[in-house]
Amino acid sequence: MSTGISTRTSANTRTGTAVLKAEARLFTREPAALFWILAFPTLLLVVIGCIPAFREPSADLGGLRTVDLYVPIAILLATITSAIQSMPPVLSGYRERGILRRMATTPMRPGALINAQIALHGAAVVGSALIALTVGRLAFGVALPRQLAGYLLALVLAALSALALGATVSAISRTTKITQAVGSAVFFPAMFTSGVWLPVAAMPETLRDIVGLTPLGASAQALDQAAAGQWPSWTHLAVTAVWTVVLVAAARRWFIWE
């Protein structure tokens, strides 16, 4: 019995690895997706940093500069771009072309393909975060996160919640066109709540509290706290975690293979 289980586990691992390698090759052949995930968020940070007024400390921001706040914002922008704009059309395209349905009848289960997409887009977010942190530090003197463990935890939860949101978008959208429309409708509010247009720390208190009830808004505040050297508020971490659990459950409940 144990030998059979071990054999199946080994076969599943080999299958998952093969799918991941194949999807990675396809992913690297999408220059547009790589640009918007890896390069654009840091380019936005550079534009903000090149504005002299945004490099000056502000009393309204607790002595921080606007460019200091835009490093975590750039990271969150990469996260939502990867999870909401890039991943769902790929999954919907596989479903629309019948690839998921055909895979369901073979030993290569469709779940391996979905896991590969989540892993690749998650890795892209990590790469984009490293680029933003490096450029922010070297080009504009933005301090590295002072509470590194809390920052990493907040980043992981932010990525998981965004990927779960993207999976839900894919689950409820039967075609690629619908996925793109729904994804765009979700993307712009996510940009607002993550602070792309106005840093969450600069929002009025009431609006900040409301935004803090969303996964990206809570993540933005958690990252800001960790960057400043504080452990992220357990409330913000809990909000992000709860959203992740709810969205994962919704995606599993509504996702269809064909």
Side-chain angles (χ1 to χ4, degrees):
M1 179 68 72
S2 60
T3 302
I5 295 175
S6 176
T7 301
R8 287 195 298 271
T9 301
S10 177
N12 290 336
T13 300
R14 289 196 299 271
T15 298
T17 301
V19 172
L20 180 60
K21 290 180 178 179
E23 291 299 305
R25 286 195 295 269
L26 294 174
F27 188 57
T28 55
R29 295 173 187 171
E30 295 292 338
L34 293 176
F35 169 79
W36 289 109
I37 298 170
L38 294 176
F40 179 74
T42 299
L43 288 177
L44 175 63
L45 173 65
V46 170
V47 171
I48 295 297
C50 287
I51 300 174
F54 289 167
R55 299 196 303 271
E56 297 295 329
S58 171
D60 294 335
L61 300 177
L64 294 174
R65 305 170 300 166
T66 300
V67 70
D68 295 325
L69 298 179
Y70 261 87
V71 170
I73 289 172
I75 294 172
L76 289 177
L77 178 58
T79 301
I80 60 179
T81 300
S82 178
I84 300 175
Q85 289 288 85
S86 178
M87 184 180 72
V90 175
L91 295 178
S92 296
Y94 284 150
R95 179 202 293 134
E96 195 171 9
R97 296 195 300 273
I99 295 175
L100 296 181
R101 176 174 51 80
R102 290 195 295 271
M103 287 181 67
T105 63
T106 70
M108 188 177 295
R109 309 301 296 175
L113 189 149
I114 295 175
N115 291 338
Q117 284 294 320
I118 291 175
L120 289 171
H121 284 86
V125 169
V126 172
S128 185
L130 291 175
I131 294 171
L133 287 167
T134 301
V135 171
R137 177 60 180 167
L138 297 179
F140 306 111
V142 177
L144 295 175
R146 294 185 175 91
Q147 174 49 262
L148 184 58
Y151 201 89
L152 291 174
L153 176 59
L155 177 58
V156 168
L157 287 175
L160 289 175
S161 65
L163 289 166
L165 180 58
T168 303
V169 169
S170 178
I172 64 177
S173 307
R174 292 183 175 273
T175 66
T176 303
K177 289 185 177 179
I178 295 176
T179 299
Q180 291 171 340
V182 174
S184 296
V186 173
F187 180 70
F188 290 104
M191 288 177 68
F192 175 77
T193 59
S194 63
V196 174
W197 292 306
L198 176 65
V200 176
M203 293 179 178
E205 183 177 357
T206 301
L207 180 57
R208 188 165 61 245
D209 291 342
I210 294 173
V211 166
L213 298 176
T214 67
L216 278 306
S219 296
Q221 295 180 65
L223 289 171
D224 285 343
Q225 291 172 332
Q230 307 170 33
W231 182 262
S233 165
W234 288 108
T235 300
H236 298 324
L237 296 176
V239 167
T240 311
V242 168
W243 271 107
T244 301
V245 172
V246 170
L247 290 169
V248 167
R252 289 175 62 89
R253 172 67 178 82
W254 294 326
F255 196 89
I256 56 175
W257 300 110
E258 56 184 285

